[in-house]
Structure formats: structure tokens, C-alpha cells
Amino acid sequence: MGDAEQSDAPSGPRGRRAIWITAALVAVIGVGAVTVWMLRPGESAASAPVISPTPTATATPTPTPSPTATGYPANESAYDLGTLPQVNVFAVIPALPVDTDPYGAFTGEDATARAAGAPVFADPLGQPVAYLPADYTYGGTTVPIIERQANWVHVLLAGRQAVPSQGDPAQITGWLRAQDVVVAPLDASVEVNISARTIDIVRAGIPQRIATDFGWGADATPTPHGRAFIMTTRVEQSFLYTRGYPLVYLSTQSPTMDGFAGADVAVTAFHYHDERSGNVSNGCLRVDPDTITQLAALPLGTPVTIHP
């Protein structure tokens, strides 16, 4: 997808990290998610017993029906976010599960944290393992909902469970308490079909075709498959191959590289490139000017599903 360029980020360890994030955000590959975690369903109360009539009774009472399960129970506990790791593009949080249903549906809503952030749970019956900030430099704070319950929302998240050399780096998920987030409707989603070479923006169930060809990952550096979301969108003038068009970064990262160009992240993106047909990239999706312009107009948190 092109070589990394230097930025004007400050020097020192924090500065070097900022320098590499922009380069790393462009150079990624990916893989479909692996199922390692399963949702525990809520339990239903037992049915009330049937009362047998006496010999003189004229009717049999109707059994009381079992209540309908509404999901996990509410959790009103207070948590100190300062004791939890932050969910962001750099995060490696082993306790967070990878997506168990990479081609599953979205609810058509997104979530953002109230106040400073929201605790993130791997299991709504357990303790939080991280927190989602309300704001972060490189985005990833507006997240799409994949399941909504009365007290909880299940979402996709930025970051990884592990780097490729140590585990599964696929798309991760987490649970947020409904009380900790603002839920809003999403206007659109994006469907990418690599074999058909098509990209559609879908609104109200109606697809609008915005591309009939594009570039995708080479055999050794494939584009991630499955569902993800738009993490952040930005213009990087130093990336000459983008010709000044914005890059639309996704939440998925490489299945084979711990980082790229000396950085500790390797993220997938849509972006413009002169060479943009066939399996020619390091995993990014290379598109034409009109396509990247339309994708860049979508809000952060917009769902993206990439089909092989």
C-alpha cells in the first residue's frame, strides 16, 4: 500500500509512537475471526405447577407461563476506570473475545460512552476487563452494536486480543452497560465483495453500488474478511500515493504481522491508489477518487462487512 512517511509528531517515546501510528494505519492485512467465546444465554424461570382439580371442580386452572428472558441482569456497580486498560487501536487485551460471528448482522445502531468512558465486559456476569474512552486521538470510540438487550449492548471494538506471533489478532468484541452509553441510529453500512469486485453502501436495506473494481490484499498479505467498522478517517498529505484523498481506517488488523514499519499496530484501510485493481496491496482496499470520497463521508462507527 505504499511506504511509511515521517510525520511532524513530537520526538521521544510518545512522539515516536505517534509518528508510527499513521504509517501503520495504512499497511495491513487481516483474517476472518476465529470463534473462541460463546454467549451464555439467560435462564428462564420454571413454570408454575398445574393445580389438579378436585373431584367436584368444573375446570382446570391454566398453568402460569414462564417469563420471557430479557437478557443479562442489570449491573449497577461503580468501577474505577483508572484501574482498567483503555480500548484503543494500540490495545492488546487478552481478556476480550474475538468476534464469534464474523458475518453476522448489526442492529443498525452505534454506541458512544457517556462521561469519560464506559467499562467493557467480556462477560456481563463478570467484572470489567477494560474501558472504552469517550474520546481518543485515532478514533475507535463510536462502536457498532451487534446485539442489544434491555441492560446491555454487545459491540465491536478496536484493538486486538493478541498480536499474531502470540495468539489470535482478529476483530474483538465486548459488552457495555446500557446505562454507560448513548445509543444512536446508524444511517448506512458498507458491503465489500472481493470475488465480485463490488463495494456497496446500504441505506434502508437498499444497496448503492459505488465500485465495480478495486485493489485488495496480495496472497501473502490478504485483506481481512468479516465484519468491522470505520474507526477513523483522515487525510495524510505525506502519503503521496493517496494524492491528497482521505484514508478510511477500519477496526481490523493483520493476522500475520505484530506491527508494520516498526510500529506496534497494523490496521486495514480504504484509500485511493493509482494501482487499484486485483490482489496488489498489503491488505488495504484501493479505490478510485469517487469511491473514497463517498466512503469518507460516512460517520465513524459505520459497519463494514468484507466478503471473500
Side-chain angles (χ1 to χ4, degrees):
M1 282 181 282
D3 296 327
E5 301 286 346
Q6 287 191 337
S7 73
D8 58 358
S11 62
R14 184 181 298 274
R16 287 192 297 272
R17 195 182 198 202
I19 292 171
W20 285 117
I21 174 63
T22 310
L25 285 170
V26 190
V28 295
I29 54 180
V31 71
V34 177
T35 56
V36 297
W37 180 78
M38 184 173 290
L39 176 64
R40 181 188 302 123
E43 297 178 352
S44 297
S47 299
V50 176
I51 302 174
S52 299
T54 64
T56 58
T58 58
T60 300
T62 302
T64 302
S66 299
T68 301
T70 58
Y72 291 110
N75 175 345
E76 303 292 341
S77 300
Y79 299 102
D80 180 2
L81 299 185
T83 66
L84 299 169
Q86 185 184 89
V87 172
N88 60 51
V89 66
F90 291 105
V92 177
I93 304 175
L96 286 174
V98 299
D99 188 6
T100 63
D101 187 12
Y103 298 101
F106 294 85
T107 68
E109 303 161 302
D110 63 28
T112 53
R114 298 181 185 273
V120 179
F121 298 74
D123 180 351
L125 299 179
Q127 296 298 306
V129 297
Y131 83 96
L132 178 69
D135 185 56
Y136 185 67
T137 304
Y138 302 111
T141 57
T142 299
V143 293
I145 298 174
I146 56 177
E147 181 182 350
R148 187 175 180 186
Q149 299 182 357
N151 302 306
W152 297 87
V153 292
H154 194 194
V155 300
L156 301 186
L157 297 166
R160 293 179 284 188
Q161 181 191 81
V163 295
S165 64
Q166 300 177 22
D168 188 349
Q171 174 67 59
I172 56 174
T173 72
W175 290 88
L176 307 173
R177 299 183 299 187
Q179 68 203 47
D180 296 325
V181 298
V182 176
V183 174
L186 282 163
D187 174 65
S189 63
V190 179
E191 294 282 333
V192 178
N193 189 310
I194 292 177
S195 59
R197 298 194 183 190
T198 59
I199 301 175
D200 294 340
I201 294 177
V202 182
R203 292 183 173 91
I206 301 173
Q208 174 195 359
R209 180 120 324 147
I210 62 171
T212 55
D213 193 18
F214 54 86
W216 64 91
D219 291 343
T221 55
T223 296
H225 300 160
R227 59 186 174 182
F229 64 95
I230 295 177
M231 181 177 69
T232 193
T233 297
R234 60 182 60 219
V235 173
E236 294 298 339
Q237 297 291 351
S238 62
F239 294 168
L240 300 181
Y241 56 85
T242 66
R243 307 293 188 189
Y245 290 101
L247 298 102
V248 178
Y249 299 113
L250 304 181
S251 56
T252 49
Q253 297 197 38
S254 169
T256 58
M257 300 169 65
D258 291 356
F260 176 79
D264 52 3
V265 290
V267 184
T268 301
F270 292 103
H271 66 79
Y272 172 87
H273 199 287
D274 290 341
E275 186 181 358
R276 54 177 185 270
S277 182
N279 57 338
V280 294
S281 79
N282 287 327
C284 282
L285 297 163
R286 299 178 177 183
V287 296
D288 61 40
D290 183 61
T291 299
I292 195 60
T293 299
Q294 293 188 66
L295 291 169
L298 296 172
L300 304 187
T302 296
V304 176
T305 303
I306 302 174
H307 301 272

